[in-house]
Amino acid sequence: MKRDDQLADTFTAIADPTRRAMLVRLAREGERNVTQLMEPFAISQPAISKHLRILREAGLVSRRKVGRENLYDIDVTRLGNIRDWISQVDEYWDQRLDALGDYLNKKKPKKK
Amino acid sequence: MKRDDQLADTFTAIADPTRRAMLVRLAREGERNVTQLMEPFAISQPAISKHLRILREAGLVSRRKVGRENLYDIDVTRLGNIRDWISQVDEYWDQRLDALGDYLNKKKPKKK
DNA sequence: TTGACATATATCCGAATGGTTATACGATAT
DNA sequence: ATATCGTATAACCATTCGGATATATGTCAA
């Protein structure tokens, strides 16, 4: 429960539909400012800024200030962490299947 | 924002550290009852039951009643949905990289 | 049949969450 | 210089969330 924190932040940030939609948009279209990111949604600008802050603190997006605009872009690094977690779970699960297989052909050569 | 619901439920369920830990445990050890699943945590039995309900409603675990016990097990199907979502985002991102590459060698053959 | 077990549900509570409006402030445009 | 734009932050509110305790119900053991 210690440095699971980062993973928890990533999962939490990504769990919200609005934030996921923003990530998808950034992935497809690249760098966008806050006003552009607002457009698809029927919520206030401060609400969008709040979502962006959460994404940024979770390391899922980067921010670049240019003049009076703040340009955000996706950072896929942390998505890799999630993928890794899932892979780990899948791996355990596969091992269970393998173990079951071994059990069924018990006393048979346990090759591959 | 319509049938994103299922994905949202999956992400939300998986975002909680306690629930993730339970999933990992089930993946490694297979079917376990509520009492067993409680052991590693310093929280009440009803709290555990609540977590299990959320995991079950998100389709991440199955429940099998045997006598007075409820046996839970992981169901990895929905993890695939998450993986797919991430892959999709990665794909968009890769396309951006490709487009950038094409731009840099502009007027060069755009082969592979 | 009676008490202990296994577990779900109901109710309540404080903290976190997502949203709103108001406001501040630097960057631009006029 | 001044108004407007782009955006963050503050303060507030309703809802949701994770947990606690109390309780109900079915199953098993004595």
Side-chain angles (χ1 to χ4, degrees):
Chain A
M1 288 247 213
K2 260 292 182 289
R3 208 43 335 96
D4 178 63
D5 288 351
Q6 180 167 302
L7 192 58
D9 285 350
T10 309
F11 272 115
T12 301
I14 222 176
D16 182 88
T18 301
R19 292 194 288 265
R20 272 206 310 288
M22 293 196 287
L23 287 178
V24 170
R25 172 103 184 276
L26 290 174
R28 305 182 69 142
E29 309 181 5
E31 247 185 2
R32 286 292 178 268
N33 67 33
V34 178
T35 308
Q36 294 173 320
L37 289 171
M38 271 188 65
E39 288 160 12
F41 305 104
I43 62 180
S44 66
Q45 172 267 312
I48 296 291
S49 284
K50 243 190 198 172
H51 281 306
L52 286 169
R53 172 194 258 275
I54 290 169
L55 287 173
R56 192 162 47 81
E57 291 182 341
L60 286 162
V61 302
S62 61
R63 178 173 61 175
R64 186 167 72 97
K65 302 196 179 199
V66 173
R68 58 183 163 185
E69 321 187 9
N70 280 11
L71 301 178
Y72 287 86
D73 201 355
I74 190 172
D75 180 342
V76 296
T77 314
R78 295 293 162 75
L79 293 185
N81 298 153
I82 291 188
R83 208 203 283 277
D84 290 347
W85 183 85
I86 293 178
S87 295
Q88 183 203 332
V89 170
D90 275 345
E91 209 169 291
Y92 289 139
W93 197 74
D94 287 345
Q95 285 171 216
R96 278 177 55 196
L97 286 193
D98 290 352
L100 178 62
D102 287 354
Y103 170 74
L104 291 180
N105 358 336
K106 57 178 171 289
K107 292 183 177 59
K108 280 299 186 79
K110 65 164 179 287
K111 184 172 172 300
K112 183 59 184 5
Chain B
M1 286 249 213
K2 260 293 180 290
R3 207 48 330 99
D4 178 64
D5 289 351
Q6 179 167 302
L7 191 58
D9 284 351
T10 309
F11 272 115
T12 302
I14 223 177
D16 182 88
T18 301
R19 292 194 288 264
R20 272 207 309 290
M22 291 197 288
L23 287 177
V24 169
R25 172 103 184 274
L26 290 174
R28 306 182 68 143
E29 309 181 5
E31 246 184 3
R32 286 291 178 270
N33 67 33
V34 178
T35 308
Q36 293 171 320
L37 289 171
M38 271 189 64
E39 287 161 11
F41 306 103
I43 62 182
S44 67
Q45 172 267 313
I48 295 290
S49 284
K50 241 189 198 174
H51 282 306
L52 287 170
R53 171 194 259 273
I54 289 169
L55 287 172
R56 193 161 48 81
E57 291 182 342
L60 285 162
V61 302
S62 61
R63 178 172 60 175
R64 188 166 70 98
K65 303 195 179 200
V66 173
R68 58 183 163 183
E69 321 187 10
N70 281 10
L71 301 178
Y72 288 86
D73 200 356
I74 190 172
D75 180 341
V76 297
T77 314
R78 295 295 162 77
L79 293 185
N81 298 153
I82 291 188
R83 208 201 282 277
D84 291 345
W85 183 86
I86 294 178
S87 295
Q88 183 203 334
V89 170
D90 276 345
E91 211 168 288
Y92 289 140
W93 198 74
D94 287 346
Q95 287 171 212
R96 279 177 54 196
L97 285 192
D98 290 351
L100 178 62
D102 288 353
Y103 170 75
L104 290 180
N105 0 335
K106 57 175 171 291
K107 292 183 177 57
K108 281 299 188 78
K110 66 167 182 284
K111 181 170 175 299
K112 181 65 187 355

